[in-house]
Amino acid sequence: MSREWEMVVGLEVHCELSTATKLFCSSRNVFGDEPNTNVCPVCLGLPGSLPVLNAGAVELAMRVGDALHCEIRPSIFHRKNYFYPDMPKDYQISQYDEPINVAGWLELADGSRVGIERAHLEEDTGKTTHVGRGGRIHEATESLVDYNRAGVPLLEIVSAPDIRSADQARVYVGELRGILIATGASDARMEEGSLRVDANVSVRPAGSAELGTRAEIKNMNSLRSLGRAIEHEAERQVALLEAGEPVAQETRHWNEVEGRTSSLRSKEEAYDYRYFPEPDLLPVAPDPAWISKVRASAATLPAERRAQLSAAASDDGKADGEVPAGLVATLVELDLDGLVLGAIDAGAEPKLAVNRAANEAAARPDAARKLDPRAFAALLSMETSGRLSATQAKTVLGVMLEDGGDPADIARGRGFEGLSEEALAGVVDSVLAANPGEWQRFQDGDPKVSQFLVGQVMRETRGKANGKAVMALLAARKG
Amino acid sequence: MSEAVLALAQAVRHGDRSARELTEERLAAIATAEPEVHAFNLVTADAARAEADEVDRRVAAGEDVGPLAGLPVALKDNICTRGVPTTCSSRILDGWRPPYDATVVTRLRSAGAVIVGKTNLDEFAMGSSTENSAFGPTRNPHDPSRVPGGSSGGSAAAVAAGFVPMALGSDTGGSIRQPAALCGVVGVKPTYGVVSRYGLVAFASSLDQIGPLTGSVADAAALLEVVAGHDPEDSTSLAEPAPTVTSVLGDGVDGMRVGVVAELIDGVAPDVAARVRQAADALSSAGARVDEASVPAAVHGLSAYYLIAPAEASSNLARYDGVRYGLRVEAPDITAMYTATRSAGFGSEVKRRIMLGTYALSAGYYDAYYGQAQRVRTLIIRSFDAAYARFDALLAPTTPTTAFALGAKTADPLAMYLTDVCTVPSSLAGHPAMSVPFGSGDDGMPVGVQVLAPARGEAVMFRVGAALEALAPGPTGVDAVRSRREAVR
């Protein structure tokens, strides 16, 4: 975008909460089951059925609200009325003008803050699949509806229009994902639809304080398409304005294949949702004791986890000791910081632990999260000690991620084992015999000569020896 | 009548009478007179026989079968029964069988009651005469040329005609009390939240309550105690046990402060007003301190009600769209299918209220209509609170007139709405109210007197109701029907 223009973006993120059961009934809340198996009269909206609020969903909403520095407040559910075949009641129960979380903020890694206007609870709809010709309802010959998702608890997190670039939008969603995962509120998987993002995009002359007319973009199913869609939409609006044409306030659809947005419905056709307070539910007023309990058991959030990992992984005081922020962020995002911290605790060399985790383990994060940090540390020290080459260490790590197991056993099984202690002792003895003068100086307490002796052992073993082990042997021989 | 009915349950519990025998008697009565009355949408004779046999088997096995052992009960056809059609007297639910029982049905069954069928109603409980049924009107057993009232007209008529000793109805703005008055039976709308709405097909959720229609106050008390009490499946259900009402029936009204609501007695037919005054005098002679009471905001009840109830109905009835169950009229696209299905499936009164409610909630009109109606509702609650600061219970007519002729008001919706003018205020307040038969009007048709009480004031209300019943002139309920019919012959 040219310098004369500034984009203004606000995001609405819908995330499915990881409760055991749905928002208003005891049907199971799981992704990927056989269609229409996790349903009951309540989530199907059958005549006579009534919603009963799931306290677990309220608690997760409060956890996220707390992590986003929101005010947690008494709230009311409303009905949002519109017709759609995947909505069993033809209204959605949602929080409208009195949401549970208001007025918070989220700090990004670069220190910028994005305001959070609200984070409210609502129920998800069913899922329709349109069969035949195009994938849209008006082109379909048949529409299949799966109500397993109907009634799944959603938290809709609405940001202030504080975002100024597509990059910042991506970083914001990434950071939010981290918080949702850290709080245990959601698995936040965009590809499974448990995290969905709508973007409100407008542009204005740079430096202007007024907001331009905005368009809402829907249907972006990855961070990449979110960025592309925002970029494209802002450019489209700039082109319109520069041509002297107005921007219409409307809802637009992102077409991933064509890489452009198209009009879905204009404001004139916008639904009148006829909100009114849901008479089947009581107001939700979490009492102060409950809120304090949630606050007291708050999870460690990504920003703090990044700080912890950076500190643990950095060499003391050295200028080059900083671990790259990108690697740290990736590890926290993939929830692998615990593995690295555990390995460092167990004696692993910090930077190597970060690198192996971020480069090798990160390719298989689910398996990596199950690794025993002590086994990971043992593998890394086999590498630092020279018992394994870097290539061999990566191979062993691959096996550990695949099948688990002890790194020493795996290395032995593959014939990677370097030197036995016995063999090393033999090499040390022969080096001492070959260098009597140096040996004498070592025994006399000259510290400099130890590096020469270790170097000789390394040369003899072609680098396979563990330096610490050699030093230990020298010390033992000195007596 | 009351003692007779509860004595029947006792006899079944002791094995002196069989549930099957009681059921066969009622089924025979239904077979004789139902064609004229049309109280039922469906008589589940075979299922009733099987349930009765099960009760008898359990009695023989020495089990406690519950306080309503073997008593035949009819259910308004907007109360869900597992596997049995629940129609709401609407075409739109064509073929639908609920996969579950309403909470009240579960409680009735565990109290030993035998369910004999589903009674007719105004479609989705919208109406005051049971003429808005897709399956044809119910007739008043006292005089088949007249309406039974509504919307629980089928349940009221089933009790008045002697088909069943007790029935359940639902009351949103008077739908239990008004037909109870017009059919000469007892009808009770409990405090909102006392009886679970789980399984009651919603009309206006913030007003709907299930309640008893019976031949006597004692029967109503027994039935209420069975179906009432907290239900975790209904968030609006009060977190407390069922009110104790059977044990207070003989406590009398000595020293009780009873007010006659001036605003509700003004404008009703002189013969009905006269009966209410007579009831007040009778209570006074029984020791109550009776005075005139004022509930000024009550006069706005009907206007507020006809905004709030349609608004909620427009939302509650959106689910009948032809997508998942019930009627579907095929059409080229989804919007056309919705339109065709709803056009064919709903009757004109339901459509009228959906339109009214949609308008009242729509952007730009919400505050002027729905919002204003909610403010009026608050005023009504305050107005009642002021009255209850002075009185333990209030007295009012249940209806402005006795039962009117079939077809008399069908062309004039506003005239029909006005028949609920006396019952609507306590519905908006969520307070309990009951109608007790008290003599008859100039035309010989039953008159009901309404007893109102503050929220959770069921015990006080039943004390006054029982006193009124004892003081009432002439026979009531089924006995009144019998004597009136004999007089005609």
Side-chain angles (χ1 to χ4, degrees):
Chain A
M1 205 161 55
S2 72
R3 275 199 202 160
E4 293 91 75
W5 296 93
E6 177 180 58
M7 72 164 81
V8 176
V9 177
L11 297 179
E12 292 171 17
V13 173
H14 291 81
C15 84
E16 289 185 350
L17 296 176
S18 302
T19 48
T21 56
K22 294 186 182 181
L23 186 54
F24 298 120
C25 66
S26 53
S27 291
R28 268 155 45 88
N29 171 21
V30 279
F31 177 82
D33 276 9
E34 187 78 8
N36 298 311
T37 50
N38 298 322
V39 293
C40 75
V42 174
C43 57
L44 286 177
L46 291 187
S49 62
L50 293 171
V52 177
L53 182 61
N54 180 344
V58 177
E59 180 152 331
L60 290 181
M62 287 159 64
R63 284 190 187 287
V64 175
D66 184 43
L68 295 173
H69 313 95
C70 287
E71 180 198 337
I72 300 170
R73 40 162 297 158
S75 58
I76 291 178
F77 283 98
H78 273 65
R79 289 189 187 174
K80 181 179 183 179
N81 293 282
Y82 64 105
F83 283 85
Y84 208 73
D86 64 13
M87 280 226 305
K89 301 181 290 292
D90 285 315
Y91 58 80
Q92 181 189 25
I93 303 176
S94 176
Q95 295 192 324
Y96 176 54
D97 56 359
E98 296 186 34
I100 185 162
N101 299 304
V102 295
W105 45 268
L106 174 60
E107 187 168 309
L108 306 184
D110 65 2
S112 63
R113 272 189 187 185
V114 175
I116 303 293
E117 288 184 348
R118 54 190 287 152
H120 70 258
L121 279 164
E122 63 186 27
E123 59 179 340
D124 209 342
T125 61
K127 190 177 188 325
T128 34
T129 310
H130 303 297
V131 184
R133 297 183 290 198
R136 312 275 291 273
I137 188 166
H138 58 273
E139 302 159 330
T141 50
E142 282 180 313
S143 294
L144 309 175
V145 192
D146 176 9
Y147 291 106
N148 280 355
R149 203 178 69 180
V152 162
L154 288 181
L155 192 69
E156 180 175 340
I157 302 157
V158 181
S159 86
D162 289 349
I163 295 165
R164 293 288 174 272
S165 71
D167 270 343
Q168 198 187 6
R170 278 192 298 257
V171 171
Y172 166 83
V173 174
E175 190 67 16
L176 197 51
R177 276 194 76 227
I179 286 177
L180 293 169
I181 292 165
T183 50
S186 176
D187 57 18
R189 291 182 184 160
M190 280 186 98
E191 67 280 10
E192 287 181 3
S194 67
L195 187 84
R196 310 196 280 275
V197 185
D198 300 337
N200 286 300
V201 179
S202 65
V203 296
R204 63 184 175 194
S208 165
E210 276 174 51
L211 291 172
T213 307
R214 68 190 158 88
E216 184 181 18
I217 320 170
K218 292 188 177 286
N219 197 39
M220 295 154 298
N221 50 20
S222 69
L223 287 184
R224 184 171 168 270
S225 43
L226 170 69
R228 288 177 68 207
I230 290 172
E231 202 78 62
H232 167 273
E233 177 59 20
E235 280 165 14
R236 189 188 71 86
Q237 292 183 13
V238 167
L240 277 175
L241 293 171
E242 287 183 344
E245 289 171 41
V247 172
Q249 181 166 340
E250 60 186 357
T251 302
R252 297 181 71 83
H253 173 88
W254 169 246
N255 186 317
E256 182 69 42
V257 179
E258 295 173 18
R260 61 187 196 89
T261 63
S262 57
S263 182
L264 202 59
R265 55 175 183 265
S266 70
K267 199 195 175 195
E268 286 72 35
E269 309 165 345
Y271 292 118
D272 177 359
Y273 291 117
R274 292 175 287 118
Y275 284 100
F276 74 103
E278 166 58 276
D280 289 330
L281 290 168
L282 303 177
V284 188
D287 62 60
W290 193 12
I291 296 175
S292 318
K293 199 188 104 198
V294 164
R295 291 225 165 99
S297 62
T300 311
L301 298 177
E304 196 184 328
R305 285 165 61 178
R306 284 193 298 264
Q308 284 173 357
L309 184 58
S310 285
S314 299
D315 294 340
D316 311 309
K318 290 188 188 167
D320 65 344
E322 286 289 313
V323 176
L327 289 189
V328 169
T330 302
L331 288 169
V332 169
E333 202 179 314
L334 294 173
D335 195 21
L336 294 176
D337 49 327
L339 174 69
V340 175
L341 288 173
I344 293 172
D345 258 5
E349 203 277 301
K351 277 190 185 165
L352 183 64
V354 166
N355 279 311
R356 285 285 172 269
N359 296 323
E360 271 71 44
R364 304 198 46 203
D366 291 334
R369 279 191 287 273
K370 291 180 195 139
L371 271 187
D372 176 0
R374 283 164 307 177
F376 185 47
L379 170 73
L380 297 174
S381 63
M382 286 168 77
E383 186 179 344
T384 30
S385 71
R387 283 171 67 188
L388 294 177
S389 70
T391 313
Q392 288 173 334
K394 287 177 191 174
T395 307
V396 172
L397 181 57
V399 175
M400 289 167 74
L401 290 170
E402 188 76 34
D403 306 318
D406 175 69
D409 293 345
I410 296 167
R412 210 172 296 120
R414 301 250 159 172
F416 291 164
E417 190 65 53
L419 290 169
S420 66
E421 277 186 44
E422 217 171 285
L424 181 63
V427 174
V428 168
D429 287 340
S430 65
V431 165
L432 296 186
N435 301 283
E438 283 77 5
W439 176 227
Q440 189 54 55
R441 278 162 56 201
F442 181 85
Q443 284 174 300
D444 293 342
D446 180 352
K448 286 177 198 159
V449 79
S450 64
Q451 281 190 16
F452 168 79
L453 291 172
V454 173
Q456 290 301 303
V457 175
M458 287 296 175
R459 205 179 67 177
E460 288 296 309
T461 60
R462 291 191 297 279
K464 283 185 178 178
N466 178 339
K468 282 180 191 158
V470 176
M471 278 306 293
L473 281 170
L474 291 176
R477 295 283 184 281
K478 179 183 168 189
Chain B
M1 182 66 198
S2 80
E3 281 163 38
V5 168
L6 294 174
L8 284 178
Q10 276 303 100
V12 172
R13 284 157 69 89
H14 295 134
D16 299 334
R17 292 289 300 271
S18 81
R20 178 63 183 261
E21 187 190 331
L22 292 185
T23 302
E24 293 294 354
E25 277 177 21
R26 294 307 99 203
L27 291 174
I30 292 168
T32 309
E34 167 64 6
E36 183 183 60
V37 178
H38 186 214
F40 286 94
N41 284 341
L42 180 68
V43 177
T44 50
D46 291 341
R49 289 184 178 106
E51 283 178 28
D53 288 346
E54 174 65 8
V55 168
D56 289 333
R57 188 197 63 73
R58 290 178 58 204
V59 169
E63 293 175 35
D64 181 6
V65 285
L68 304 183
L71 293 184
V73 176
L75 302 172
K76 189 177 183 178
D77 201 14
N78 59 352
I79 296 173
C80 289
T81 39
R82 186 186 181 103
V84 175
T86 297
T87 69
C88 296
S89 291
S90 180
R91 301 259 176 236
I92 204 133
L93 273 163
D94 188 31
W96 185 63
R97 289 163 190 258
Y100 60 99
D101 275 334
T103 298
V104 291
V105 175
T106 309
R107 290 183 178 178
L108 278 177
R109 291 192 203 280
S110 55
V114 172
I115 290 155
V116 297
K118 308 296 289 285
T119 59
N120 200 8
L121 65 149
D122 286 298
E123 184 178 5
F124 282 103
M126 296 179 193
S128 307
S129 66
T130 316
E131 291 166 292
N132 298 330
S133 164
F135 310 123
T138 296
R139 291 166 183 272
N140 192 315
H142 294 269
D143 175 353
S145 74
R146 302 192 194 224
V147 301
S151 65
S152 307
S155 286
V159 174
F163 297 160
V164 283
M166 41 181 64
L168 287 180
S170 70
D171 191 313
T172 305
S175 281
I176 289 174
R177 292 161 285 161
Q178 188 257 24
L182 301 194
C183 288
V185 300
V186 174
V188 178
K189 186 205 93 72
T191 302
Y192 185 80
V194 158
V195 177
S196 169
R197 289 184 295 119
Y198 189 78
L200 171 67
V201 178
F203 158 19
S205 312
S206 75
L207 296 155
D208 297 340
Q209 273 293 280
I210 294 174
L213 287 134
T214 56
S216 76
V217 173
D219 295 345
L223 182 52
L224 180 63
E225 284 187 356
V226 164
V227 296
H230 179 64
D231 177 12
E233 306 290 343
D234 176 357
S235 308
T236 60
S237 144
L238 295 171
E240 52 190 54
T244 303
V245 283
T246 49
S247 60
V248 304
L249 297 175
D251 289 359
V253 292
D254 193 19
M256 198 178 271
R257 301 165 302 163
V258 178
V260 181
V261 185
E263 291 81 1
L264 296 181
I265 209 165
D266 281 353
V268 306
D271 56 340
V272 173
R275 285 303 188 191
V276 178
R277 302 259 180 232
Q278 189 187 345
D281 290 346
L283 289 176
S284 180
S285 64
R289 288 183 282 152
V290 180
D291 203 347
E292 180 145 311
S294 177
V295 185
V299 298
H300 302 300
L302 212 59
S303 332
Y305 175 83
Y306 276 98
L307 288 167
I308 293 169
E312 294 184 15
S314 72
S315 175
N316 282 327
L317 271 58
R319 71 192 67 193
Y320 308 105
D321 57 11
V323 173
R324 293 163 300 273
Y325 46 81
L327 181 74
R328 174 187 292 183
V329 177
E330 296 294 343
D333 63 65
I334 183 86
T335 309
M337 189 278 279
Y338 288 151
T339 307
T341 299
R342 291 166 70 81
S343 297
F346 289 133
S348 58
E349 182 59 28
V350 170
K351 287 175 186 161
R352 181 179 297 121
R353 297 204 196 185
I354 289 174
M355 295 299 291
L356 274 173
T358 303
Y359 186 77
L361 287 176
S362 59
Y365 299 98
Y366 180 95
D367 212 54
Y369 294 107
Y370 183 82
Q372 185 70 3
Q374 290 291 17
R375 286 187 283 276
V376 170
R377 189 174 189 174
T378 305
L379 280 183
I380 289 171
I381 293 169
R382 288 198 192 131
S383 207
F384 270 117
D385 286 347
Y388 288 124
R390 287 184 58 209
F391 298 102
D392 300 306
L394 300 173
L395 220 56
T398 309
T399 57
T401 66
T402 57
F404 44 93
L406 262 83
K409 297 178 196 280
T410 45
D412 185 352
L414 283 179
M416 189 71 89
Y417 295 171
L418 280 167
T419 69
D420 293 333
V421 69
C422 301
T423 50
V424 152
S426 58
S427 293
L428 287 167
H431 294 169
M434 70 194 293
S435 181
V436 180
F438 201 87
S440 41
D442 293 344
D443 54 5
M445 294 297 286
V447 168
V449 170
Q450 201 181 184
V451 183
L452 315 179
R456 309 183 198 199
E458 268 81 0
V460 166
M461 181 177 81
F462 270 90
R463 278 173 66 188
V464 177
L468 276 181
E469 181 180 55
L471 297 163
T476 59
V478 184
D479 299 335
V481 175
R482 198 173 293 132
S483 61
R484 193 163 290 116
R485 296 204 146 204
E486 276 159 10
V488 169
R489 280 189 199 106

